[in-house]
Amino acid sequence: MRTPDRKEITPEPLYLNRRNFIRAGVFAGSAAVTGLMYRAYRPDSIAVAPEEAPQSFGELTKRSEFQANETPNSFEDITNYNNFYEFSTSKTAVAREAQALKTDPWSVEVGGLVELPRTYSLQELLNFPQEERIYRFRCVEAWSMVIPWVGFPLAALLDQMRPTAEAKYVAFETAYDRSVMQSSFSAGIDFPYVEGLRIDEALHPLTLLATGLYGRPMPKQNGAPIRLVVPWKYGFKSIKSIVRITLTDKEPPTTWNIAAPREYGFYSNVNPNVDHPRWSQKRERRIGEITMRETLMFNGYEKEVADLYRGMDLEKFY
Amino acid sequence: MDNARFLKLILGVNALIPLGLLLFDAATGRLGANPIEYFLRATGVMTLVMLLATLTVTPLRKLFGWNILIKSRRMLGLLAFFYCSTHLVTYSIFDKSGNLTAIVGDVAQRPFIAVGMAAFLVMLPLAVTSTNGAIKKLGGKNWQRLHRLSYLVAILGVVHFWMIVKSDLYYPALFAAGLALLFGIRLFYRQTAKKEGQKPGLAFRPD
């Protein structure tokens, strides 16, 4: 073996320099990878300023009795923090994923125990006089928002359909398209998403078929093009992207009740006195606020809806 | 700086990068509509990541002979404890308004909170005894025995995560699978060592 020439040996300062260079590279590289991994798990909001969204509703009726006397959440918060398990179980990822939903053409099939079953096109539903309603929205996960919906009372549609005397409940179903609803395999609940109301709840003047918010058509992540809004119940009752409404004589199955019957009942009225088995419902975090606030009975709509449940044990019928 | 110390520096800095980015995002209003929930979730997940990293050291030594990692293990454990404390403080201040009675009530009523709190309490003595002095005082064998509780902490942590999820178990399952794999490797080496009539485990090294 040949002894290397003195000249060939890397001088110590240079050797150390190279080592430092490699170390700096490893350091920077690992830091970059860690940073990118963090970013991948914190999706950025889809910035949609309300003024950029298409405008289609003109002057809206604003009846004072339906305006919660609170400041609505920003358009950005309302459209970037959503539960829509068909698209993602991450509330911050739904806005991006839900853009794959095809909402044109859209129709809603209404039938069951009614005299005049028929399929409504979206345009026909938009022909009902639309009004703005500012409602509190309380999620079962103990957060809440204030949302300026656009829509019309479900009662207006039901009246046209003429429910028969046997009709006791209304069942709703969300569109289900596996090809675009990528999360539906792993979400852990059954699809299509189904919900239901007792007929007197469905006919209540507060119950809204919402077609938009902030004066604009409904964003996809919020349940385009038409969804239910029942402001005194937990948010999951307000089913999104409706394709079917069926009047029935039996209590219809509801998705979260099927998934976890002990945790989510058919009624699911907002009730600070009945806790979710795993967490408290006494308080909620209003989006945009740091501390928690007290949750109100029936989400603050007690005066309007308490009569519907007179004499019912709300701990039993949660 | 020798390689072991350089590795420790790299691991430490990388473990703290998520915290730095979280704080930056918090300061610039980029944590989304519910920043508290996001911060809480992220510090919880980072606790699990650091716990699993701590438990990965021994399997990597056994599989690849990377003994250099042992010098970073106590730091990784302390980083897990640090993220866990941040998680607990965030919950206490923002979810419970710093109300001790409310926190105690929560622990008593909510099994997932109780499990999380138990994990923190088991971690406490481990964090306190991670100094050189404590190792000397306890003696290597006792110290090692005490610090086996980190397995329990990791199990409690994953169970805590599993219990709060509404229906999509993907992420908790991922952590559970990682933990199962780490336990599997340990068990495998333990069995092999038994067959060959050796004492299982590596020679004691506090670092």
Side-chain angles (χ1 to χ4, degrees), chain A residues 163-178:
Chain A
T164 66
E166 291 83 60
K168 296 282 186 292
Y169 294 92
V170 187
F172 304 86
E173 188 179 315
T174 296
Y176 185 42
D177 178 357
R178 278 164 189 266

Side-chain angles (χ1 to χ4, degrees), chain A residues 23 26 30-31 34 38-39 41-42 81 85 89 91 141 186-187 264 275 278 280 283 285 287 290, chain B residues 1 3 6 10 14 17 21-22 25 30 33-34 37-38 94-95 110 112 163 165-168 171:
Chain A
R23 279 184 170 183
V26 170
S30 69
T34 307
Y38 168 83
R39 274 283 169 267
Y41 283 96
R42 193 196 63 74
Y81 194 72
Y85 271 34
T89 54
K91 286 185 278 296
E141 296 165 2
S186 59
Y264 312 99
D275 283 342
R278 285 182 286 154
S280 166
R283 302 195 307 160
R285 175 166 291 120
I287 297 303
I290 293 299
Chain B
M1 194 191 299
N3 282 334
F6 177 65
I10 274 204
N14 275 288
I17 283 175
L21 290 172
L22 263 177
D25 284 344
R30 297 159 86 186
N34 197 345
E37 180 204 39
Y38 190 86
F94 295 106
D95 277 9
R110 323 258 162 240
F112 87 94
M163 286 172 85
V165 168
K166 260 166 73 194
S167 70
D168 182 356
Y171 285 106

Side-chain angles (χ1 to χ4, degrees), chain B residues 72-139:
Chain B
S72 300
R73 188 167 64 177
R74 277 190 287 162
M75 179 192 69
L76 294 175
L78 281 173
L79 282 162
F81 179 70
F82 168 71
Y83 273 112
C84 181
S85 309
T86 313
H87 183 69
L88 177 59
V89 167
T90 308
Y91 153 82
S92 306
I93 294 179
F94 295 106
D95 277 9
K96 297 286 135 194
S97 320
N99 183 341
L100 202 65
T101 331
I103 295 170
V104 172
D106 232 13
V107 171
Q109 272 179 53
R110 323 258 162 240
F112 87 94
I113 299 271
V115 170
M117 195 64 87
F120 174 77
L121 292 177
V122 177
M123 251 173 155
L124 259 180
L126 306 192
V128 169
T129 57
S130 57
T131 59
N132 289 329
I135 295 171
K136 268 205 195 108
K137 226 180 197 168
L138 283 167

